[in-house]
Amino acid sequence: MTKPRFRGSFTQQEPICEAGIAAALAVMRSGRLHRYNTAADETAEAALLERDFAAWQGARFCLAVTSGGQAMQIAMRAAGVAPGDTVLTNAFTLAPVPGAIAAIGARTALVEITPDLVLDLEDFDAKARATGARWLLLSHMRGHLCDMDRLTEIAAARGVTVIEDCAHTMGAAWAGRRSGGFGLAGCFSTQTYKHMNSGEGGLLTSDDEGFMARATILSGSYMLHDRHGAGPQAEAFADARLDMPNLSARMDNLRAALLRPQIARLDANLDRWNALHDRLAHRLRDHPALRLPARPPEERYVGSSIQVTIPGIGAEAAAAFVNRAAADGVELKWFGAPAPAGFTSSHRNWRYVPAQTLPRTDAILSGLFDMRLPLTFGPADCDAIAEVIRDTADATGRARSA
Ligand SMILES: *Cc1c(COP(=O)(O)O)cnc(C)c1O
């Protein structure tokens, strides 16, 4: 029997669609790349993107910014988070999340996760009570949604305002409502590895006028806030225009031009991701050593990545698992690694966050492996990846029992 081997690239995205390329060329030919640099009767691509994304997301307002991280910083400031305030967030997330909290001078309080990789709602309730925190930056990390109905109840009971980090859930929903539509605001990223690709970029959505007026001024709109595609009426800016500092985090027309045609393809792409994800999940699920997070029936997920855990695997065996899979062409991210690597790090590596004891999260992360599923993969790639992972899990099992 030959050893399985995979030859695809986990970081190769699809090209920008021709419509996006044509629109970007038109912006470059015009020379008007800045979102407020418009000819008479022209609406900027950035404003059109805001209008189109708000309509797709089902949000009243949308603001286009430079990154998902900036969307989160602006959202927290516009929601009233001040330096020194405590913001709760998931203990399992990526560095831009605690980074955004640190950037605004706030204090991160980490909440445990469950074995299904979502926020532990008991711990959220307990920590909201213990810290008195009035904000939760809820990270739908790797596309897993917690029980959003229960979360909303707890947040309301504790007086906690929720801001959603939807970097991995653009298009996902809980009980028919889009992620990003539960809290005060939704923060999206259009960085290359997310669900739309403009290299870098962010989108902030909300139904709250006052919040969106403050966010728009914070983004660096100067007094040109009437040139937005899905922004509040002029009256909403009465105080915000004088109270809010300019953080210069505007989206430019070039990126907006790349993104706008991608909105029309999102729904079809979500189905393509799920076809890859579900095929792979189906082939891994029955392996006795591997555990896949449960997906409740209320959750409509977007399978742009997949996670497996090997509960109880030790650090040495986990490192061997990753190395063996890598030798066979499958790049797994291990969230239990002692040192940060690539895009992956754990809360123990964030020295800008006060050290916190999170035994349940640590136990889960020690055996958690993660993989992206770019749309350049097809069904045969999923089958080859599944074979490598199963073969690696078998070898790890033999080594552990030897
Ligand atoms: C990518 C990402 C972000 C931030 O996005 P950027 O656009 O890179 O700033 C936020 N949260 C999570 C979980 C992410 O993966």
Side-chain angles (χ1 to χ4, degrees):
M1 205 178 89
T2 58
K3 204 158 163 292
R5 169 133 185 88
F6 179 64
R7 295 180 192 283
S9 163
F10 285 85
T11 51
Q12 182 59 57
Q13 305 302 320
E14 292 195 294
I16 299 297
C17 57
E18 288 303 322
I21 294 173
L25 285 173
V27 168
M28 286 192 282
R29 292 200 170 104
S30 78
R32 294 186 294 278
L33 274 67
H34 192 280
R35 69 166 297 161
Y36 301 124
N37 182 200
T38 47
D41 299 330
E42 184 182 36
T43 304
E45 284 286 338
L48 294 170
L49 172 69
E50 291 168 336
R51 187 199 63 190
D52 292 357
F53 190 74
W56 184 82
Q57 168 67 14
R60 250 180 105 193
F61 307 117
C62 173
L63 174 72
V65 295
T66 44
S67 69
Q70 279 294 338
M72 292 188 289
Q73 287 184 43
I74 288 171
M76 284 186 284
R77 289 183 74 141
V81 181
D85 285 346
T86 298
V87 177
L88 297 159
T89 195
N90 315 42
F92 169 49
T93 187
L94 290 177
V97 177
I101 299 171
I104 63 165
R107 214 184 139 80
T108 299
L110 298 168
V111 179
E112 298 262 30
I113 58 160
T114 75
D116 294 321
L117 310 182
V118 299
L119 197 78
D120 180 328
L121 296 179
E122 303 291 311
D123 196 46
F124 166 48
D125 192 32
K127 290 212 167 113
R129 199 178 48 223
T131 63
R134 289 165 49 218
W135 292 277
L136 168 68
L137 181 53
L138 173 63
S139 186
H140 302 304
M141 178 63 175
R142 287 299 187 247
H144 298 275
L145 294 174
C146 66
D147 179 337
M148 292 302 294
D149 299 318
R150 184 80 192 105
L151 175 111
T152 306
E153 276 171 24
I154 297 171
R158 296 268 168 235
V160 171
T161 297
V162 179
I163 295 168
E164 298 175 66
D165 165 22
C166 305
H168 303 162
T169 55
M170 185 185 279
W174 179 268
R177 193 196 293 188
R178 282 246 156 98
S179 82
F182 290 86
L184 172 63
C187 304
F188 300 83
S189 169
T190 62
Q191 186 240 74
T192 292
Y193 302 111
K194 313 297 164 92
H195 297 176
M196 293 199 289
N197 178 7
S198 59
E200 304 283 359
L203 296 163
L204 176 61
T205 58
S206 179
D207 292 337
D208 187 296
E209 268 195 328
F211 167 87
M212 203 40 113
R214 290 188 295 279
T216 303
I217 302 290
L218 284 164
S219 79
S221 71
Y222 300 94
M223 295 300 139
L224 302 166
H225 42 77
D226 59 332
R227 297 209 210 155
H228 280 252
Q233 297 295 308
E235 306 80 71
F237 289 88
D239 288 325
R241 62 207 291 275
L242 306 175
D243 289 343
M244 293 293 122
N246 176 330
L247 305 182
S248 272
R250 296 166 299 274
M251 160 101 41
D252 58 273
N253 287 333
L254 189 53
R255 281 171 200 179
L258 296 175
L259 289 170
R260 217 147 65 82
Q262 294 182 46
I263 295 175
R265 311 162 90 90
L266 261 173
D267 288 309
N269 282 349
L270 306 185
D271 291 342
R272 291 171 66 208
W273 263 306
N274 284 353
L276 296 174
H277 172 278
D278 293 352
R279 187 175 181 106
L280 192 49
H282 178 72
R283 278 162 176 68
L284 297 178
R285 186 165 284 124
D286 66 344
H287 192 285
L290 304 174
R291 181 187 188 281
L292 273 68
R295 297 287 198 176
E298 295 89 344
E299 182 188 27
R300 189 183 74 200
Y301 55 89
V302 183
S304 52
S305 68
I306 191 166
Q307 293 70 43
V308 297
T309 48
I310 305 183
I313 191 172
E316 223 172 286
F321 184 77
V322 170
N323 290 338
R324 190 184 155 115
D328 294 336
V330 173
E331 274 175 50
L332 295 168
K333 313 285 181 215
W334 175 37
F335 276 91
F343 286 104
T344 311
S345 64
S346 94
H347 69 90
R348 290 181 311 277
N349 308 130
W350 305 332
R351 285 194 195 159
Y352 44 87
V353 168
Q356 294 167 52
T357 310
L358 296 145
R360 278 174 281 160
T361 300
D362 289 344
I364 294 159
L365 297 189
S366 66
L368 174 62
F369 305 93
D370 164 64
M371 208 182 354
R372 282 200 189 96
L373 294 173
L375 289 176
T376 48
F377 285 0
D381 295 309
C382 295
D383 297 352
I385 292 167
E387 258 196 84
V388 169
I389 294 178
R390 293 181 69 98
D391 179 68
T392 310
D394 291 341
T396 305
R398 282 194 301 273
R400 286 171 84 192
S401 57

